[in-house]
Amino acid sequence: MKLNQQIHHAESISRLVGVQDRNLLVFKQYLGVLVSIRGSEIITDAKKEMLPLLEAIFTVLIQLAEHQVQFNERDVMYIIKLAEKNELDGVFELYNNREKIIVNDQGKAIYPKTFNQKYYIKAIESYDLTFGVGPAGTGKTYLAVAAAVRELKQGKVKKLILTRPVVEAGESLGFLPGDLKEKVDPYLVPLYDALYEMLGMQTTTQLLEKGVIEIAPLAYMRGRTLENACVILDEAQNTTKAQMKMFLTRLGFSSKMIITGDPSQTDLKNNRESGLNEVLSILANMEDIKIITFDKLDVVRHPLVQHILERYDQNEN
């Protein structure tokens, strides 16, 4: 069966199908329908009732392809999910007019890829205190590090400080072998990974040695005032109430704080209330801060992972 849309230019067709037709493969993996390009026509084996959905999706994809916008299977997945919720308004502008955050060490430009990611980056630019909360896989930490590195490169701050509560190791860290770095580094690997991608391993190592970048457990923030710095608190759902209050009061002049976490996933023991949950309630609707809430629509995973999670949800219910 043919869709109503047609695409004529070879370059646009190439952008539409993607590398090794991966963009079209998403339709089979996620929606269970085959889609192919024959000449200028789009062919599918989808049933009649699915055609309006596919035509809405391809209206956007063809428009992007013809405006020379490069996109991949992750972007196609997000557009499909938006179409399923009838929320495609503005998606062309999201991709066509996107502003890069930074260019990473491999020369690849990093962009916000969802509406909430776009709002998140804009909030970090505009506010001294930004919360990014929501499920794993939404890019909260990755984008926070990208935005922080940009602040450093542009000279807006003199230092980056990245921290996490090291819940699994306990407050004191004393029973683990080795020095401080050896004790906490396993818990801070995601922060190192993000920095390595943004700056490269050599540059990151040099900046760590110079103290321009600091990665440390939250317990070591006590008693400090953090000025001229961009400070990221990751996995904030694992802070206690006292730790969150302590961290927030470290904010100094000419600094920014970015706090990320998933309020529904805490590792705190003995039913202790999360400091993140409390602070979101206390600071709700407060001016001069911004809370960006991500949702499942921002979690764009491989279609197979999506189906695996759906099966788990069905089993649990």
Side-chain angles (χ1 to χ4, degrees), residues 296 301 305-317:
K296 289 184 178 180
R301 295 186 174 98
V305 176
Q306 196 86 18
H307 292 312
I308 291 170
L309 291 174
E310 288 170 2
R311 289 294 182 93
Y312 268 99
D313 288 342
Q314 292 169 7
N315 185 63
E316 291 170 359
N317 293 331

Side-chain angles (χ1 to χ4, degrees), residues 35-285:
V35 177
S36 59
I37 308 292
R38 296 179 188 170
S40 63
E41 296 177 337
I42 302 169
I43 309 298
T44 180
D45 66 354
K47 294 182 179 179
K48 188 175 181 180
E49 55 266 28
M50 191 178 282
L51 293 184
L53 175 68
L54 291 177
E55 291 187 349
I57 293 166
F58 275 96
T59 295
V60 173
L61 293 179
I62 291 171
Q63 191 178 16
L64 290 172
E66 291 182 343
H67 281 77
Q68 302 180 16
V69 177
Q70 297 290 345
F71 51 89
N72 58 28
E73 55 263 54
R74 186 196 185 284
D75 304 315
V76 174
M77 268 291 298
Y78 181 59
I79 290 169
I80 291 174
K81 291 171 75 175
L82 286 172
E84 288 180 320
K85 293 180 174 291
N86 197 27
E87 296 179 4
L88 285 173
D89 288 349
V91 71
F92 172 74
E93 288 75 17
L94 172 68
Y95 285 96
N96 190 48
N97 297 317
R98 57 188 176 180
E99 297 180 10
K100 69 174 178 286
I101 307 169
I102 60 168
V103 176
N104 70 12
D105 184 57
Q106 291 78 42
K108 178 183 176 183
I110 297 173
Y111 300 95
K113 289 183 173 290
T114 71
F115 287 113
N116 280 330
Q117 287 186 358
K118 180 179 179 180
Y119 304 149
Y120 184 47
I121 293 299
K122 185 61 67 175
I124 292 171
E125 289 177 1
S126 305
Y127 292 84
D128 289 343
L129 177 58
T130 302
F131 290 84
V133 295
T138 52
K140 303 183 300 294
T141 301
Y142 181 81
L143 292 175
V145 174
V149 169
R150 180 173 66 179
E151 293 279 321
L152 183 66
K153 284 187 170 183
Q154 292 178 346
K156 295 180 180 178
V157 297
K158 295 181 179 178
K159 186 170 185 176
L160 300 188
I161 301 174
L162 292 77
T163 185
R164 272 184 162 192
V166 186
V167 175
E168 299 89 340
E171 286 289 331
S172 69
L173 304 170
F175 64 86
L176 290 174
D179 60 19
L180 171 63
K181 188 175 189 303
E182 291 171 334
K183 289 176 181 180
V184 303
D185 271 2
Y187 303 100
L188 303 173
V189 164
L191 301 178
Y192 281 103
D193 287 345
L195 285 170
Y196 292 154
E197 180 172 342
M198 307 299 169
L199 295 168
M201 185 174 294
Q202 182 176 354
T203 300
T204 300
T205 301
Q206 291 172 347
L207 293 176
L208 284 165
E209 290 173 351
K210 294 177 180 178
V212 175
I213 296 178
E214 180 182 344
I215 303 178
L218 180 60
Y220 289 79
M221 296 295 109
R222 191 176 303 277
R224 303 174 62 182
T225 300
L226 307 173
E227 298 194 346
N228 293 301
C230 190
V231 191
I232 299 173
L233 170 57
D234 192 36
E235 297 289 333
Q237 74 274 7
N238 290 328
T239 60
T240 63
K241 294 180 180 181
Q243 285 177 326
M244 179 58 75
K245 183 178 180 181
M246 176 274 292
F247 178 77
L248 289 172
T249 53
R250 301 307 95 200
L251 180 64
F253 289 104
S254 302
S255 288
K256 286 182 180 289
M257 278 186 170
I258 309 166
I259 297 175
T260 74
D262 180 356
S264 69
Q265 299 289 333
T266 177
D267 297 318
L268 292 172
K269 298 178 180 178
N270 302 319
N271 295 318
R272 301 175 78 180
E273 185 180 349
S274 166
L276 178 61
N277 291 349
E278 181 190 52
V279 77
L280 291 174
S281 175
I282 291 174
L283 301 184
N285 302 317

